[in-house]
Amino acid sequence: MAEYFPGVKQIRYEGPGSKNPLAFRHYNSDEVVLGKTMAEHLRFAVCYWHTFKNLGADQFGGGTIIRDYNDSSDPMEIADMTLEAAFEFFTKLGVGFWCFHDRDIAPEADDLAETNKRLDKIVQKAGKLQADTGVKLLWGTTNAFSHRRFMAGAGTNPSPGVFAYAASQIKKAIEITKELGGAGYVFWGGREGYDTLLNTDMKRELDHMALLLQMAVDYKKKIGFKGQFYIEPKPKEPTKHQYDSDAGSCYAFLQKYDLLGDFKLNIEANHATLAGHDFCHELAFCVANGILGSVDANRGDMLLGWDTDQFPNNVYETTLAMYIILKGGGFTTGGLNFDAHVRRQSIDPVDLFHGHIGAMDVFARGLKNAAKMIEDKALRNAVDQRYSGWNQGLGSRIENGKVGFDELETYILENGEPELQSGRQELLENLLNDYI
Ligand code: XLS
Ligand code: NI
Ligand code: NI
């Protein structure tokens, strides 16, 4: 097999003092933190679409990035070479997982039968490369948003024919995810929303989306796919409004259509900020409601209002994120997928390594900081203290449903103005900073 990253050897942990840009300073895969290795906690995955298929195109211009594995007039030869390059990259970087859309790994042909044949060919090769390298599939998904047939959505498309096409794609994508031993399968509603309400029957579209997901659940059971289904919230882009706009709206949707038992969420940092939240808010909402599944680990730009999908680089954010994730029990089927691409001017293959090494190190630091915070019970003591009024007396009588409005009014009439306590935000911010 050709070598596509000849200048790069296996990336190793060299410790915080290392000045080697092609080494980890913090991510030490076998190091044990709170009873598990860093690799087991973090479950890093490289995403195929950004890392290997994104060639730097943006709204104002085409690609800037030229890769050896993209140099052919035969799209299937490109698919073969790209897959080989990808597994070389996964291995040299030392990640345990990868993620893909069907259309990333094999190009669409003129009809579905031929497209699926192409997929089968590449999936067979991917299975062999997985077995040779030990790299596993974190999740698979379908691309039901790029082709023109999906301009008005997939499951929410006004045409039943397009709905059927989307279902056929998802069916095949679940099958190949199963074949590759995927730990999960993601539904991201790329164009499941609307551009204008003037032509949109919102109720019907939502009902259809639920039908599509229910069919996917039925099919999953039928073929015995054991992976976890995830929904990935995102509020807008490409549409003006997407139905899966944030964790809260996904939760309400899953509840309404009785799908909660079959789905968890895949939270993307940049999508959280587009929704007007932050990454940690979305994680905390999921933990509070038992639906945290997996994470698309990236970041946006505070000054740009779109999905810039940059590599994570903020220790403060990864510390708090890992704290929430660990307190929620950590990852089981999910992990940290780098849904991020290098910038348009980062045209060298080595830039892919810099992006991923930095991202892995910043999450490793977050993990270690969060573990220390958990061991010290630093934040926990403050939060426990803040809610301690609920552990006895009036609080416990309210929580246990022993009192109603009448009793509460009597309580206030007898006891007067309740005592207030400081929120201590500044103290706690200082405390968190001590762990960074
Ligand atoms: C796009 C999404 C996409 C999903 C997978 O904004 O993040 O990359 O993760 O379809
Ligand atoms: Ni994503
Ligand atoms: Ni995104």
Side-chain angles (χ1 to χ4, degrees):
M1 258 186 329
E3 201 181 0
Y4 293 97
F5 303 96
V8 183
K9 297 197 192 64
Q10 179 75 46
I11 309 297
R12 299 195 186 283
Y13 172 70
E14 292 184 4
S18 172
K19 293 274 179 271
N20 175 6
L22 292 174
F24 296 116
R25 281 162 192 62
H26 306 279
Y27 179 61
N28 185 8
S29 57
D30 295 331
E31 186 179 324
V32 175
V33 177
L34 295 179
K36 281 203 281 184
T37 66
M38 291 180 94
E40 288 165 340
H41 273 294
L42 298 166
R43 295 170 60 84
F44 289 130
V46 170
C47 94
Y48 207 87
W49 54 102
H50 283 318
T51 301
F52 304 105
K53 302 305 283 183
N54 185 306
L55 299 173
D58 69 8
Q59 302 93 312
F60 299 102
T64 51
I65 295 172
I66 297 164
R67 299 278 189 240
D68 290 348
Y69 45 82
N70 206 33
D71 183 20
S72 168
S73 52
D74 172 4
M76 279 306 277
E77 196 190 354
I78 291 179
D80 267 323
M81 292 192 292
T82 307
L83 195 72
E84 288 168 18
F87 275 83
E88 181 190 331
F89 184 82
F90 305 154
T91 317
K92 286 185 168 170
L93 186 64
V95 287
F97 298 93
W98 66 305
C99 296
F100 67 85
H101 299 87
D102 46 8
R103 301 298 178 255
D104 307 330
I105 54 171
E108 190 153 348
D110 290 338
D111 60 55
L112 186 67
E114 188 55 33
T115 301
N116 285 349
K117 249 193 244 159
R118 287 181 169 187
L119 259 179
D120 287 335
K121 199 166 158 262
I122 293 292
V123 165
Q124 211 188 358
K125 185 179 175 112
K128 196 175 168 308
L129 286 165
Q130 286 193 159
D132 291 349
T133 59
V135 176
K136 298 192 178 92
L137 180 60
L138 190 67
W139 49 261
T141 184
T142 194
N143 178 334
F145 45 85
S146 292
H147 193 280
R148 67 187 287 279
R149 80 175 71 86
F150 297 121
M151 66 181 184
T156 62
N157 198 289
S159 150
V162 177
F163 182 100
Y165 207 107
S168 317
Q169 263 189 229
I170 294 168
K171 172 179 180 289
K172 181 70 179 173
I174 295 173
E175 288 166 8
I176 62 174
T177 300
K178 173 177 185 258
E179 197 176 327
L180 292 172
Y185 181 92
V186 162
F187 292 81
W188 172 58
R191 294 183 196 273
E192 312 292 18
Y194 58 81
D195 293 324
T196 171
L197 278 175
L198 299 180
N199 63 13
T200 303
D201 184 338
M202 192 188 282
K203 178 176 186 313
R204 227 165 173 177
E205 292 203 354
L206 285 164
D207 287 349
H208 295 168
M209 193 62 222
L211 281 169
L212 186 74
L213 295 180
Q214 186 58 57
M215 287 179 200
V217 169
D218 295 344
Y219 191 66
K220 173 189 178 190
K221 288 183 181 147
K222 180 173 165 195
I223 64 170
F225 172 51
K226 297 275 180 278
Q228 173 66 48
F229 275 176
Y230 309 109
I231 291 185
E232 180 176 326
K234 181 175 184 181
K236 57 188 166 208
E237 194 206 305
T239 58
K240 169 193 163 94
H241 179 95
Q242 279 162 222
Y243 295 128
D244 300 336
S245 57
D246 63 0
S249 64
C250 288
Y251 186 68
F253 173 89
L254 292 171
Q255 243 181 344
K256 174 176 175 192
Y257 292 102
D258 199 18
L259 289 164
L260 258 184
D262 294 293
F263 288 85
K264 287 189 171 155
L265 299 193
N266 179 42
I267 294 299
E268 177 166 323
N270 202 167
H271 297 180
T273 52
L274 291 175
H277 303 306
D278 62 26
F279 180 33
C280 290
H281 165 86
E282 291 290 85
L283 294 174
F285 180 91
C286 288
V287 167
N289 291 288
I291 51 168
L292 181 63
S294 200
V295 165
D296 273 5
N298 62 9
R299 79 174 204 271
D301 184 305
M302 281 208 299
L303 300 181
L304 300 174
W306 66 89
D307 202 9
T308 59
D309 289 328
Q310 290 168 248
F311 285 95
N313 72 349
N314 180 338
V315 191
Y316 194 95
E317 187 165 80
T318 57
T319 297
L320 201 50
M322 286 313 302
Y323 179 73
I324 295 167
I325 291 168
L326 290 177
K327 283 214 322 166
F331 292 123
T332 51
T333 52
L336 295 167
N337 166 47
F338 295 118
D339 195 352
H341 58 87
V342 292
R343 298 303 89 191
R344 200 160 183 266
Q345 297 181 51
S346 303
I347 56 176
D348 294 340
V350 73
D351 292 316
L352 295 175
F353 283 93
H354 295 149
H356 285 87
I357 290 169
M360 290 162 78
D361 266 347
V362 82
F363 264 98
R365 285 171 76 179
L367 169 64
K368 285 194 272 193
N369 294 342
K372 248 187 266 146
M373 283 166 59
I374 287 176
E375 277 164 352
D376 295 354
K377 298 201 171 77
L379 278 183
R380 191 170 144 200
N381 285 340
V383 175
D384 284 353
Q385 170 59 32
R386 189 159 186 245
Y387 291 87
S388 59
W390 295 90
N391 299 338
Q392 68 285 307
L394 175 69
S396 94
R397 272 183 287 137
I398 299 175
E399 276 196 351
N400 294 324
K402 297 270 192 292
V403 290
F405 275 6
D406 287 331
E407 293 83 353
L408 294 178
E409 184 191 46
T410 308
Y411 176 90
I412 291 299
L413 291 173
E414 282 171 6
N415 291 277
E417 199 59 30
E419 224 180 277
L420 300 185
Q421 55 173 328
S422 166
R424 294 268 185 269
Q425 181 167 339
E426 296 76 11
L427 173 92
L428 296 174
E429 286 171 351
N430 297 349
L431 190 146
L432 176 56
N433 272 337
D434 281 344
Y435 284 86
I436 308 289

